[in-house]
């Protein structure tokens, strides 16, 4: 199990590299996409590693906020956190809008004084308590409920296309529900396993 998963935009790779190197020297096991090997199923590996990490560092920048893939990682991290399996730690690396559900969290600020922000980040990944059994149970109930909603959405999308709608007209909406559902199920499986 990785201690730390770094979620970032490829635009911010140098910062991710620097943080990963620092935390590795601190004795933390860090995973981020730079460690993927040729031929690996990257989406599955990322979901698996994200679901197993104790901490997910979200490197916030304008590029991160605009990245569709980064947003998917963030959603999967939120599911893992609600299941009590990880803790999201926002890391502000550039001025940007902070996603709404992260605004209530204190973040490590690396914008003006990188070293000071990194020191706070080090403390966060070494001093945070493990999630309680109650928190884990609450998270598993939320994940189970989400799985039920996703399954019903997938069923409703498939049924509507079979009930007389023009199959070609219904295809984009059915496809988008399937893509969202498959992405969510992949993240959920990674969280639970």
């Amino acid at each position: 199990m990785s201690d730390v998963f770094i979620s970032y935009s490829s635009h911010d790779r140098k910062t991710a590299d620097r943080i990963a190197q620092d935390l590795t020297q601190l004795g933390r096991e860090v995973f981020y996409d730079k460690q993927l090997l040729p031929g690996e199923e990257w989406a599955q590996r990322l979901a698996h590693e994200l679901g197993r990490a104790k901490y997910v560092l979200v490197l916030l920048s304008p590029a991160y906020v605009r990245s569709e893939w980064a947003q998917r990682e963030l959603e999967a991290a939120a599911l893992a956190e609600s299941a009590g399996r990880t803790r999201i730690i926002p890391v502000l690396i550039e001025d940007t809008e902070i996603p709404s559900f992260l605004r209530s969290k204190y973040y490590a600020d690396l914008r003006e004084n990188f070293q000071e922000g990194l020191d706070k980040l080090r403390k966060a990944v070494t001093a945070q308590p493990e999630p309680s059994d109650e928190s884990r149970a609450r998270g598993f109930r939320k994940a189970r409920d989400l799985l039920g909603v996703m399954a019903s959405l997938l069923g409703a999308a498939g049924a509507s296309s079979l009930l007389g709608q023009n199959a070609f007209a219904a295809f984009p909406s059915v496809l988008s529900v399937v893509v969202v559902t498959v992405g969510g199920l992949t993240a959920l499986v990674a969280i639970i396993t």
Side-chain angles (χ1 to χ4, degrees):
M1 172 185 278
S2 296
D3 289 329
V4 179
F5 180 100
I6 301 177
S7 179
Y8 69 102
S9 162
S10 59
H11 172 77
D12 303 317
R13 181 176 296 278
K14 288 182 182 179
T15 304
D17 288 342
R18 190 170 170 190
I19 292 170
Q21 181 180 15
D22 183 83
L23 294 179
T24 299
Q25 289 174 352
L26 189 64
R28 292 291 176 227
E29 186 179 330
V30 178
F31 179 86
Y32 63 126
D33 68 354
K34 189 174 183 180
Q35 295 160 316
L36 293 171
L37 300 173
E40 272 192 276
E41 296 284 342
W42 60 271
Q44 289 176 349
R45 173 83 188 275
L46 290 177
H48 177 73
E49 293 292 340
L50 193 144
R52 294 170 21 119
K54 290 180 185 176
Y55 306 98
V56 176
L57 306 184
V58 177
L59 305 190
L60 294 168
S61 69
Y64 186 89
V65 172
R66 285 190 307 267
S67 168
E68 185 177 331
W69 182 256
Q71 295 309 304
R72 287 183 187 164
E73 284 183 357
L74 185 55
E75 289 168 7
L79 282 172
E81 185 173 59
S82 72
R85 301 212 31 195
T86 194
R87 183 165 309 213
I88 297 173
I89 301 175
V91 181
L92 196 57
I93 60 173
E94 290 182 33
D95 290 335
T96 192
E97 183 176 338
I98 297 175
S100 59
F101 79 94
L102 292 179
R103 290 182 191 148
S104 64
K105 289 182 171 277
Y106 187 70
Y107 52 85
D109 190 345
L110 306 183
R111 294 173 299 171
E112 292 182 24
N113 187 332
F114 190 91
Q115 194 58 48
E116 184 178 307
L118 191 58
D119 289 344
K120 288 181 181 180
L121 186 56
R122 285 182 191 137
K123 287 178 186 174
V125 300
T126 57
Q128 299 262 356
E130 292 293 317
S132 68
D133 289 339
E134 181 182 323
S135 171
R136 283 190 176 98
R138 193 171 45 250
F140 280 120
R141 286 191 299 274
K142 287 180 184 178
R144 183 196 62 219
D145 294 344
L146 180 62
L147 181 59
V149 168
M150 292 172 139
S152 66
L153 284 173
L154 182 58
S160 68
S161 66
L162 295 174
L163 292 175
Q165 286 187 2
N166 180 330
F168 292 111
F171 184 73
S173 63
V174 172
L175 182 60
S176 65
V177 170
V178 169
V179 168
V180 169
T181 303
V182 169
L185 289 173
T186 301
L188 191 56
V189 167
I191 291 166
I192 293 172
T193 57

